[in-house]
PDB file of all heavy atoms in Angstrom:
ATOM      1  N   LEU B 581     100.237  63.372 177.407  1.00 94.00           N
ATOM      2  CA  LEU B 581      99.913  63.239 178.829  1.00 94.00           C
ATOM      3  C   LEU B 581      98.425  63.508 179.050  1.00 94.00           C
ATOM      4  O   LEU B 581      97.891  64.485 178.527  1.00 94.00           O
ATOM      5  CB  LEU B 581     100.746  64.220 179.652  1.00 94.00           C
ATOM      6  CG  LEU B 581     102.264  64.062 179.504  1.00 94.00           C
ATOM      7  CD1 LEU B 581     102.998  65.177 180.254  1.00 94.00           C
ATOM      8  CD2 LEU B 581     102.744  62.708 180.019  1.00 94.00           C
ATOM      9  N   HIS B 582      97.775  62.603 179.839  1.00 94.00           N
ATOM     10  CA  HIS B 582      96.336  62.717 180.067  1.00 94.00           C
ATOM     11  C   HIS B 582      96.064  63.058 181.526  1.00 94.00           C
ATOM     12  O   HIS B 582      96.512  62.332 182.420  1.00 94.00           O
ATOM     13  CB  HIS B 582      95.638  61.401 179.705  1.00 94.00           C
ATOM     14  CG  HIS B 582      95.879  60.989 178.305  1.00 94.00           C
ATOM     15  ND1 HIS B 582      95.298  61.627 177.237  1.00 94.00           N
ATOM     16  CD2 HIS B 582      96.657  60.012 177.774  1.00 94.00           C
ATOM     17  CE1 HIS B 582      95.699  61.064 176.112  1.00 94.00           C
ATOM     18  NE2 HIS B 582      96.541  60.072 176.413  1.00 94.00           N
ATOM     19  N   PRO B 583      95.322  64.121 181.786  1.00 93.00           N
ATOM     20  CA  PRO B 583      95.027  64.511 183.173  1.00 93.00           C
ATOM     21  C   PRO B 583      94.312  63.394 183.926  1.00 93.00           C
ATOM     22  O   PRO B 583      93.457  62.694 183.377  1.00 93.00           O
ATOM     23  CB  PRO B 583      94.095  65.722 183.013  1.00 93.00           C
ATOM     24  CG  PRO B 583      94.345  66.233 181.652  1.00 93.00           C
ATOM     25  CD  PRO B 583      94.720  65.052 180.821  1.00 93.00           C
ATOM     26  N   GLY B 584      94.699  63.177 185.167  1.00 91.00           N
ATOM     27  CA  GLY B 584      94.055  62.173 186.026  1.00 91.00           C
ATOM     28  C   GLY B 584      94.565  60.759 185.818  1.00 91.00           C
ATOM     29  O   GLY B 584      94.107  59.836 186.495  1.00 91.00           O
ATOM     30  N   ALA B 585      95.511  60.581 184.883  1.00 92.00           N
ATOM     31  CA  ALA B 585      95.981  59.222 184.576  1.00 92.00           C
ATOM     32  C   ALA B 585      97.342  58.950 185.205  1.00 92.00           C
ATOM     33  O   ALA B 585      98.051  59.870 185.622  1.00 92.00           O
ATOM     34  CB  ALA B 585      96.073  59.037 183.071  1.00 92.00           C
ATOM     35  N   ILE B 586      97.661  57.662 185.259  1.00 92.00           N
ATOM     36  CA  ILE B 586      99.013  57.257 185.647  1.00 92.00           C
ATOM     37  C   ILE B 586      99.633  56.646 184.402  1.00 92.00           C
ATOM     38  O   ILE B 586      99.114  55.650 183.877  1.00 92.00           O
ATOM     39  CB  ILE B 586      98.978  56.211 186.784  1.00 92.00           C
ATOM     40  CG1 ILE B 586      98.234  56.767 187.986  1.00 92.00           C
ATOM     41  CG2 ILE B 586     100.371  55.787 187.186  1.00 92.00           C
ATOM     42  CD1 ILE B 586      97.830  55.692 188.964  1.00 92.00           C
ATOM     43  N   GLN B 587     100.700  57.220 183.929  1.00 93.00           N
ATOM     44  CA  GLN B 587     101.302  56.734 182.689  1.00 93.00           C
ATOM     45  C   GLN B 587     102.699  56.191 182.966  1.00 93.00           C
ATOM     46  O   GLN B 587     103.472  56.797 183.707  1.00 93.00           O
ATOM     47  CB  GLN B 587     101.335  57.864 181.656  1.00 93.00           C
ATOM     48  CG  GLN B 587      99.923  58.222 181.211  1.00 93.00           C
ATOM     49  CD  GLN B 587      99.887  59.385 180.249  1.00 93.00           C
ATOM     50  OE1 GLN B 587      99.694  60.530 180.670  1.00 93.00           O
ATOM     51  NE2 GLN B 587     100.083  59.112 178.982  1.00 93.00           N
ATOM     52  N   VAL B 588     102.968  55.041 182.369  1.00 93.00           N
ATOM     53  CA  VAL B 588     104.250  54.375 182.603  1.00 93.00           C
ATOM     54  C   VAL B 588     105.024  54.306 181.293  1.00 93.00           C
ATOM     55  O   VAL B 588     104.476  53.937 180.256  1.00 93.00           O
ATOM     56  CB  VAL B 588     104.034  52.945 183.149  1.00 93.00           C
ATOM     57  CG1 VAL B 588     105.367  52.263 183.402  1.00 93.00           C
ATOM     58  CG2 VAL B 588     103.214  52.981 184.421  1.00 93.00           C
ATOM     59  N   VAL B 589     106.284  54.702 181.344  1.00 92.00           N
ATOM     60  CA  VAL B 589     107.150  54.652 180.174  1.00 92.00           C
ATOM     61  C   VAL B 589     108.325  53.732 180.501  1.00 92.00           C
ATOM     62  O   VAL B 589     108.917  53.852 181.580  1.00 92.00           O
ATOM     63  CB  VAL B 589     107.691  56.061 179.832  1.00 92.00           C
ATOM     64  CG1 VAL B 589     108.533  56.022 178.562  1.00 92.00           C
ATOM     65  CG2 VAL B 589     106.556  57.056 179.704  1.00 92.00           C
ATOM     66  N   ASP B 590     108.618  52.816 179.600  1.00 91.00           N
ATOM     67  CA  ASP B 590     109.730  51.884 179.839  1.00 91.00           C
ATOM     68  C   ASP B 590     111.056  52.628 179.927  1.00 91.00           C
ATOM     69  O   ASP B 590     111.406  53.413 179.047  1.00 91.00           O
ATOM     70  CB  ASP B 590     109.813  50.870 178.687  1.00 91.00           C
ATOM     71  CG  ASP B 590     108.877  49.710 178.932  1.00 91.00           C
ATOM     72  OD1 ASP B 590     108.402  49.595 180.082  1.00 91.00           O
ATOM     73  OD2 ASP B 590     108.625  48.945 177.992  1.00 91.00           O
ATOM     74  N   LEU B 591     111.764  52.356 180.983  1.00 91.00           N
ATOM     75  CA  LEU B 591     113.125  52.891 181.143  1.00 91.00           C
ATOM     76  C   LEU B 591     113.851  51.901 182.052  1.00 91.00           C
ATOM     77  O   LEU B 591     113.684  51.937 183.273  1.00 91.00           O
ATOM     78  CB  LEU B 591     113.090  54.295 181.759  1.00 91.00           C
ATOM     79  CG  LEU B 591     114.409  55.071 181.802  1.00 91.00           C
ATOM     80  CD1 LEU B 591     114.987  55.244 180.405  1.00 91.00           C
ATOM     81  CD2 LEU B 591     114.220  56.429 182.463  1.00 91.00           C
ATOM     82  N   PRO B 592     114.600  50.981 181.453  1.00 91.00           N
ATOM     83  CA  PRO B 592     115.161  49.879 182.254  1.00 91.00           C
ATOM     84  C   PRO B 592     116.173  50.354 183.297  1.00 91.00           C
ATOM     85  O   PRO B 592     116.709  51.462 183.211  1.00 91.00           O
ATOM     86  CB  PRO B 592     115.847  48.996 181.206  1.00 91.00           C
ATOM     87  CG  PRO B 592     115.358  49.460 179.896  1.00 91.00           C
ATOM     88  CD  PRO B 592     114.961  50.882 180.044  1.00 91.00           C
TER      89      PRO B 592
END
Side-chain angles (χ1 to χ4, degrees):
Chain B
L581 302 174
H582 302 287
I586 302 164
Q587 292 177 265
V588 181
V589 183
D590 275 346
L591 189 58

